[in-house]
Amino acid sequence: YVASRTGGSAGAVRVYQYSYDAGKRTYTRVGTPFAFSGGGTESVTIDKDSKGALWVTFTRGSAVLVSHTTD
């Protein structure tokens, strides 16, 4: 997984999933990125728990926002 933020004050957070082909030594993007609306996002962190849920934590102003997958 890779977390990215678009530029500017309206920066949105996007999380991309990639698969790795060891034989070709290449990464390929899988599916559509998860997107979270922006607005001054300063940092983003991703983690995957032991049950497979992906957690995304990011800051906006003085607030810390947390989101996770449900399926």
Side-chain angles (χ1 to χ4, degrees), residues 11-71:
V13 173
R14 292 194 179 97
V15 178
Y16 301 86
Q17 181 180 2
Y18 289 84
S19 65
Y20 182 67
D21 183 326
K24 294 180 181 179
R25 299 175 62 172
T26 59
Y27 289 91
T28 304
R29 194 170 84 191
V30 177
T32 303
F34 301 101
F36 303 91
S37 61
T41 300
E42 298 153 350
S43 65
V44 59
T45 301
I46 54 176
D47 193 17
K48 193 170 188 179
D49 69 21
S50 61
K51 294 183 179 184
L54 184 67
W55 291 80
V56 180
T57 304
F58 53 100
T59 59
R60 186 172 299 144
S62 60
V64 175
L65 304 164
V66 179
S67 188
H68 63 86
T69 57
T70 58
D71 54 350

